[in-house]
Amino acid sequence: MPSVSSSAASHPAAAPRGVDVHPLSPALGAEIRGVDLTRPIDEATFSVIADAWREHLVILFRDQVLSEEDQVRFAQRFGALQGRPRPASMRAETAVKHPEIMLVSNIRENGKPIGSLPDGEMQFHSDMCYIEQPAKGTFLYAIEIPSVGGDTHFLNMYAAYDALPAEIKAKIDGRQAVNVFQYGSTSREGNNPDFDEHPHYTHPMVRTHPDSRRKALFVNRLMTWSIEGMEDAESAALLDALFDHIEQPKFIYEHKWRVGDLLLWDNRCTLHARTDFSDKERRLLRRCVIQGDKPY
Ligand code: SIN
């Protein structure tokens, strides 16, 4: 990918020396170099980051050595941290200071995972799309990474929407779908949500991003269960067709983690998924999210 000096990018902010934005794939994603997230970030640098995030949807910072405080401080530049909907009694994390921090890890102590979302592959989803105000942005920091797999794939939902045939757009614009998370579930197959127990919320299938004003698809294989006001068979067939359309390689950036990576993604216009990895290797990442608006 060609490197784009931030001073040459479309935003008017003058780029501080040494801060560069490098696109990661034709679909989405950019790496920002020249920023140390342990240090205070001045307004000029922050506006380069914010502009790049708006343009590229997923931002990577490599080789960061971040404490929990550093990660929280950086995330809070983008908004208020979002609390975790999962009841504290269902969580294992004890080693975090902020209740909003979640460890994503397969490491176990006394047989119990120290974090959430522990094992193996996870299908595409948008964080917390099953609550009224889903997460705006997610910040995920890599502490231990397996030698093979456990990659995170990102999907551009503006592009996926734009590429839909007009008759499908007409069918889904203005429609709502139910999103639900069956805690512990990593794939749709075999899910059978209990709506008395599992958190769920109905959201538009196509949402307008509050900053860019662009339309993005807002459905995903792991958590979007059914389309409101449609017969079950028709809803299932339409959702399957949408999932197959969305998950085309041309809309995807595949991220191979390195220790010290911090990724920031926009849940309002992207999805993410995780590839399988060995249960013989350790994987530990630290996550926090910032609160979003009710989609419209
Ligand atoms: C997540 O969905 O937040 C976790 C992604 C990952 O483990 O790569």
Side-chain angles (χ1 to χ4, degrees), residues 25-29 54-57 154-165 169 172 206-207 209 212 214-218 242 244-253 266 268-271:
S25 83
L28 72 166
R54 207 169 299 120
E55 184 175 345
H56 299 282
L57 322 184
F154 294 93
L155 207 156
N156 184 334
M157 294 291 265
Y158 290 135
Y161 175 77
D162 290 346
L164 279 174
K169 284 184 181 163
I172 62 174
V206 178
R207 69 181 293 182
H209 193 289
S212 69
R214 290 181 65 189
K215 285 184 173 183
L217 268 172
F218 196 60
L242 285 172
D244 289 346
H245 164 81
I246 289 167
E247 294 172 11
Q248 296 183 69
K250 65 182 176 185
F251 301 133
I252 293 174
Y253 161 62
D266 189 333
R268 301 164 296 181
C269 53
T270 69
L271 300 182

Side-chain angles (χ1 to χ4, degrees), residues 164-171:
L164 279 174
E167 66 271 20
I168 303 290
K169 284 184 181 163
K171 222 171 180 169

Side-chain angles (χ1 to χ4, degrees), residues 13 38 60 93 98-99 112 139 202 213 215 231 238 243 278-279 284:
T38 63
L60 166 66
E93 286 106 309
H98 295 82
K112 223 175 151 187
F139 300 74
T202 300
R213 316 299 305 162
K215 285 184 173 183
E231 291 295 323
L238 180 52
F243 301 150
S278 167
D279 60 6
L284 171 62

